[in-house]
Amino acid sequence: MSWDYLEDEVINTPETEIIEEDVIVDEKFIKNKELIRIDLNLIQFPIFSKNTQRKVNQIIKYYFNKNRDTYITVSPIAGDYIPGEMEEKVFIALMQLMKEKNMPQKFIISAPELKEKLKLSNNNAYGNIIKKSLLRLSETNYKFKNTMYSSEIGGIIGKEISTSILSLEIINLSLKINSKYRTKINDKRIKEIYKISISDHFYKNIIQKGYLVYNSEILLDISSTTARTVYMLVEKIRFHNLYLKLDTMFLIKRIPLKFDKRVIARTIKTLENAFEELVEKNLISSFNFIKESTWEKSEIEINFPESSNLEKQERFYEDRNDFRKIITLNSISETEHEMLEEREEENNLEKSISEIPTIATEEQIDKILGLLPSRARNLKTMPRTIKDAIEKYGYERVKNSAIYTKKQKADKVRSYFLKTLENNWCEHEEEIVIQSSKIDSKEFLEEKSSKDIPEYNEEVYKEFKNIPEEKQKEIEKNAYQEYVTQCVMNTKVQQIAFKYSKRKYICEYLEKHQEKKIEAPKDESTSPILEKKELDMAEIKSKIVKAIELGNMLYSYTPEEEKNIFKNILIEVMDLLLKKELTDTALREIIRKYIDL
């Protein structure tokens, strides 16, 4: 066979089509460029020091429990300080730039970009200030032991995590190897740029559900670093409440400020100045220190403007919509897209309510309250007792003690519960805990017999129901305020307890304040007409589920929000169901309270 020839093969192909697609997100698509996501750990922990007299090579270790196995260690690089106020501002500005660059984990910025966000004066020093801050953020090491929140597991990582906030690469534009960067920089005066990479633990929380949304312009406009920290912290703690009461020492230690007895008066003044700035900027409406004995035992009341919940909700939805557009237009990985949109299974949802072991969450208190005998839910002091117990003994021991107390059918629930905790009678209750970790709704309904329903003056309540609806709402609001004042707490647990025993507390309030006369409406047609027909369980469930589905179309609830809405509706439904007063109209009214379409 001869190989001295060349054979051409012609391949016929269809006409080539070239598609050009611009994947840059147009600014007009981003509704609010100032909205940024802040990782939960950076909000609730002292990541940035408030001490203006930091020392070189000083390592700070913050403990969060008496066992000293729950802590954060902040270690600067040799010859430097731990991050402070300037580093906090730089990080906020970085979060804003990261959003403008479409939320990548790695991105390039220049000192002038950061200068513009930080509104620094136009002098030669700003470049050095920014560079030092970026280096400090990248070189400081944080060790989290039983404290770091992870959105991937929906709770606290139960081991030691060592990480920096970000890594930094300084790119010298005068070097030939970096010429590809020089062509992208229009300002020839810029000699170096910075490649930022947000550390995995923090970035995953920002992409997923381990963050809160803040307005970066508002944060950077707050002049005091203490005021900024207080604002971020109370916005997280309050959830959707417009009233918050905190132990003064809890807030001082969380910021953190000095809490030595010798300087406590100065610390309180610093805190007072911070709150005054927040009032001035309309971020809170008012505050009040409650001091009956010492500052160590004092509390702080904080009230928020009526508009703050709407603003908080708008921030969340605007940011989420912006993020979805960024995903769509910039092809963020499908995995990250699923991270945003996924609906967790029920068992994963249970994990998501875990918090810092020494700080009792509302969900934990609510769960313990549900494990105790039903009489415990009528005791005003019980939520505070449970909160103190969790912070003293830990959540698991308190949970076991609650189950043990219920099993023993104790007459004096609170007293027996405290003795169980103190003596650790529940030490061998592990199997019971596993079997009883979820409360059966049928058992819960049966347990709420008529003897558990709080007594109230029916005649007073009938008069109350005959007055105009506006007046009813005003009285109910006043009764609730009086109730939470007696409880010394205002959390979701108090809201649930009040709703369950609402008639009792309204009647108590009216009898106590007899000067607030109840005037029946002259027009009898305005009196409520109760329907005779009662609803069955299947019908009740169907109506609630459908209502939540409709609400979800408008508000895009998270699984946790859906669960809370369903629970709150169910609590009110049970009350009327047991009294045989649940009608279709009553059910609709309850649903409307929690799902505003």
Side-chain angles (χ1 to χ4, degrees):
M1 183 180 290
S2 174
W3 296 94
D4 59 348
Y5 69 93
L6 179 65
E7 182 177 324
D8 293 333
E9 182 180 2
V10 178
I11 300 174
N12 293 317
T13 62
E15 185 180 346
T16 302
E17 181 183 10
I18 299 175
I19 297 176
E20 293 184 350
E21 188 171 340
D22 189 353
V23 296
I24 299 171
V25 180
D26 193 318
E27 289 188 3
K28 69 183 180 183
F29 286 114
I30 305 300
K31 191 168 185 179
N32 193 334
K33 292 189 293 181
E34 283 73 45
L35 296 184
I36 59 170
R37 296 180 174 190
I38 302 288
D39 164 86
L40 282 177
N41 297 293
L42 298 173
I43 297 168
Q44 61 191 15
F45 292 130
I47 302 299
F48 303 104
S49 175
K50 303 297 174 285
N51 186 1
T52 56
Q53 299 178 342
R54 290 166 289 157
K55 296 178 182 178
V56 172
N57 297 331
Q58 187 179 61
I59 296 172
I60 306 292
K61 199 166 187 176
Y62 302 100
Y63 288 99
F64 296 94
N65 67 348
K66 291 180 181 178
N67 295 334
R68 297 170 80 81
D69 62 355
T70 301
Y71 58 80
I72 295 174
T73 305
V74 188
S75 306
I77 193 171
D80 200 5
Y81 307 91
I82 62 174
E85 180 179 8
M86 190 61 201
E87 287 70 41
E88 181 182 34
K89 287 184 173 182
V90 167
F91 181 80
I92 291 168
L94 283 175
M95 291 297 96
Q96 189 174 349
L97 287 168
M98 184 173 79
K99 180 175 182 179
E100 290 179 7
K101 295 175 187 294
N102 309 329
M103 300 297 286
Q105 185 172 6
K106 298 178 181 180
F107 54 96
I108 292 174
I109 53 101
S110 65
E113 284 181 284
L114 280 171
K115 169 183 169 276
E116 183 185 350
K117 300 300 179 190
L118 295 166
K119 296 180 172 60
L120 294 177
S121 58
N122 193 17
N123 59 54
N124 296 329
Y126 81 83
N128 289 331
I129 293 170
I130 286 171
K131 186 175 181 178
K132 276 186 179 179
S133 294
L134 290 173
L135 284 167
R136 195 166 286 149
L137 285 169
S138 66
E139 293 170 343
T140 301
N141 181 261
Y142 293 86
K143 283 186 180 177
F144 293 81
K145 178 66 182 294
N146 297 323
T147 45
M148 173 167 270
Y149 178 84
S150 166
S151 59
E152 285 190 306
I153 67 171
I156 303 299
I157 299 175
K159 59 181 180 180
E160 187 170 84
I161 300 295
S162 181
T163 181
S164 61
I165 293 177
L166 54 86
S167 61
L168 173 69
E169 181 185 344
I170 300 174
I171 299 172
N172 188 333
L173 295 177
S174 64
L175 298 178
K176 189 175 181 180
I177 194 173
N178 296 325
S179 58
K180 62 179 180 180
Y181 297 108
R182 166 51 72 190
T183 58
K184 296 178 182 180
I185 305 297
N186 295 326
D187 190 343
K188 302 306 177 184
R189 294 172 297 177
I190 296 174
K191 304 301 180 185
E192 60 185 21
I193 54 176
Y194 308 109
K195 184 182 283 187
I196 308 293
S197 179
I198 306 299
S199 297
D200 282 348
H201 290 292
F202 300 108
Y203 184 72
K204 286 175 182 176
N205 279 349
I206 291 168
I207 291 295
Q208 299 183 56
K209 296 176 182 177
Y211 66 88
L212 286 184
V213 178
Y214 295 91
N215 186 304
S216 59
E217 293 292 314
I218 289 175
L219 293 181
L220 293 172
D221 186 53
I222 298 173
S223 59
S224 158
T225 180
T226 300
R228 188 182 306 111
T229 301
V230 169
Y231 169 65
M232 293 172 72
L233 190 58
V234 298
E235 272 291 281
K236 174 187 179 292
I237 294 172
R238 78 176 182 87
F239 191 51
H240 291 310
N241 295 320
L242 295 177
Y243 170 83
L244 189 63
K245 182 185 282 186
L246 298 172
D247 291 338
T248 307
M249 289 306 293
F250 162 77
L251 198 54
I252 286 172
K253 289 181 179 181
R254 270 310 166 91
I255 291 172
L257 300 171
K258 290 183 179 179
F259 50 89
D260 190 291
K261 285 185 178 181
R262 293 170 297 177
V263 297
I264 189 69
R266 195 186 311 161
T267 298
I268 294 296
K269 185 62 180 174
T270 300
L271 204 53
E272 188 176 8
N273 291 340
F275 277 112
E276 284 174 354
E277 181 177 355
L278 296 182
V279 170
E280 183 184 336
K281 288 182 164 57
N282 201 35
L283 298 174
I284 64 172
S285 55
S286 64
F287 69 96
N288 178 45
F289 286 97
I290 304 172
K291 182 190 175 192
E292 295 180 353
S293 55
T294 63
W295 279 117
E296 287 80 2
K297 295 179 181 178
S298 65
E299 294 175 302
I300 304 173
E301 288 182 314
I302 311 163
N303 292 293
F304 298 84
E306 291 286 341
S307 60
S308 58
N309 277 347
L310 180 61
E311 290 167 0
K312 190 174 187 179
Q313 191 177 48
E314 285 177 349
R315 286 200 306 268
F316 174 78
Y317 287 121
E318 284 179 19
D319 171 78
R320 188 169 67 173
N321 289 336
D322 288 345
F323 188 64
R324 283 174 173 165
K325 289 165 188 169
I326 289 169
I327 287 171
T328 304
L329 296 175
N330 290 280
S331 302
I332 290 180
S333 73
E334 188 62 26
T335 303
E336 290 174 356
H337 190 253
E338 287 171 3
M339 286 175 183
L340 182 74
E341 299 296 333
E342 66 182 347
R343 294 281 177 167
E344 292 90 347
E345 298 287 336
E346 181 68 23
N347 58 344
N348 289 334
L349 190 58
E350 290 297 321
K351 290 180 185 177
S352 70
I353 62 174
S354 60
E355 252 285 6
I356 307 162
T358 52
I359 305 300
T361 65
E362 294 177 19
E363 289 86 354
Q364 287 175 334
I365 297 169
D366 188 20
K367 192 166 184 179
I368 298 298
L369 207 55
L371 293 173
L372 285 162
S374 60
R375 292 191 301 280
R377 290 183 280 276
N378 297 331
L379 300 175
K380 294 178 181 178
T381 57
M382 208 63 207
R384 186 59 181 258
T385 300
I386 294 169
K387 176 182 180 293
D388 292 342
I390 291 173
E391 294 179 359
K392 183 175 181 181
Y393 297 105
Y395 177 70
E396 287 301 317
R397 182 163 166 179
V398 175
K399 182 174 75 170
N400 293 0
S401 298
I403 293 167
Y404 184 84
T405 301
K406 184 171 183 177
K407 180 185 174 186
Q408 300 306 313
K409 299 180 179 178
D411 290 331
K412 296 182 178 179
V413 176
R414 183 175 178 277
S415 176
Y416 195 89
F417 174 64
L418 290 172
K419 286 180 181 177
T420 302
L421 281 166
E422 187 179 343
N423 298 300
N424 202 19
W425 292 340
C426 61
E427 189 175 5
H428 304 294
E429 287 296 304
E430 189 60 31
E431 289 183 11
I432 296 173
V433 172
I434 293 170
Q435 295 167 5
S436 308
S437 61
K438 290 187 178 180
I439 304 170
D440 183 65
S441 58
K442 184 178 177 184
E443 176 191 339
F444 189 58
L445 278 166
E446 289 173 353
E447 186 185 27
K448 279 184 172 294
S449 61
S450 58
K451 67 180 181 180
D452 290 327
I453 298 171
E455 295 179 3
Y456 60 92
N457 189 326
E458 291 189 9
E459 291 303 316
V460 172
Y461 193 74
K462 282 179 183 177
E463 288 183 45
F464 168 75
K465 290 302 290 181
N466 283 331
I467 66 175
E469 190 175 342
E470 273 189 28
K471 186 69 175 173
Q472 286 183 36
K473 287 180 179 177
E474 182 186 342
I475 291 171
E476 183 178 329
K477 182 180 177 182
N478 292 338
Y480 178 71
Q481 288 298 331
E482 192 165 285
Y483 168 73
V484 295
T485 301
Q486 292 170 349
C487 291
V488 202
M489 290 179 72
N490 182 18
T491 68
K492 187 170 65 179
V493 177
Q494 276 70 45
Q495 293 169 16
I496 291 169
F498 180 81
K499 286 169 187 170
Y500 168 62
S501 308
K502 184 164 65 176
R503 298 183 180 201
K504 172 180 180 289
Y505 295 123
I506 286 172
C507 290
E508 283 182 357
Y509 174 81
L510 290 170
E511 288 173 336
K512 182 178 177 181
H513 302 276
Q514 291 181 2
E515 70 277 7
K516 299 183 185 297
K517 305 247 184 209
I518 300 177
E519 296 179 4
K522 293 179 181 179
D523 184 3
E524 294 181 2
S525 64
T526 59
S527 300
I529 301 171
L530 297 177
E531 302 165 28
K532 298 289 183 183
K533 181 190 171 188
E534 292 183 14
L535 305 175
D536 59 38
M537 294 302 291
E539 194 176 358
I540 293 168
K541 182 179 178 182
S542 174
K543 288 177 183 292
I544 297 173
V545 169
K546 283 180 182 177
I548 292 175
E549 286 176 355
L550 286 170
N552 191 39
M553 291 170 66
L554 182 61
Y555 299 112
S556 299
Y557 299 128
T558 64
E560 184 70 18
E561 287 171 334
E562 282 188 12
K563 184 181 177 184
N564 286 336
I565 291 169
F566 193 96
K567 182 172 69 174
N568 289 334
I569 292 172
L570 193 62
I571 287 166
E572 293 206 33
V573 164
M574 282 193 296
D575 189 20
L576 294 179
L577 192 65
L578 292 170
K579 296 176 185 298
K580 297 185 177 180
E581 295 178 2
L582 183 65
T583 63
D584 193 51
T585 300
L587 179 60
R588 285 200 302 271
E589 288 176 359
I590 293 170
I591 289 172
R592 283 197 191 103
K593 282 178 67 175
Y594 299 98
I595 305 173
D596 183 14
L597 297 177

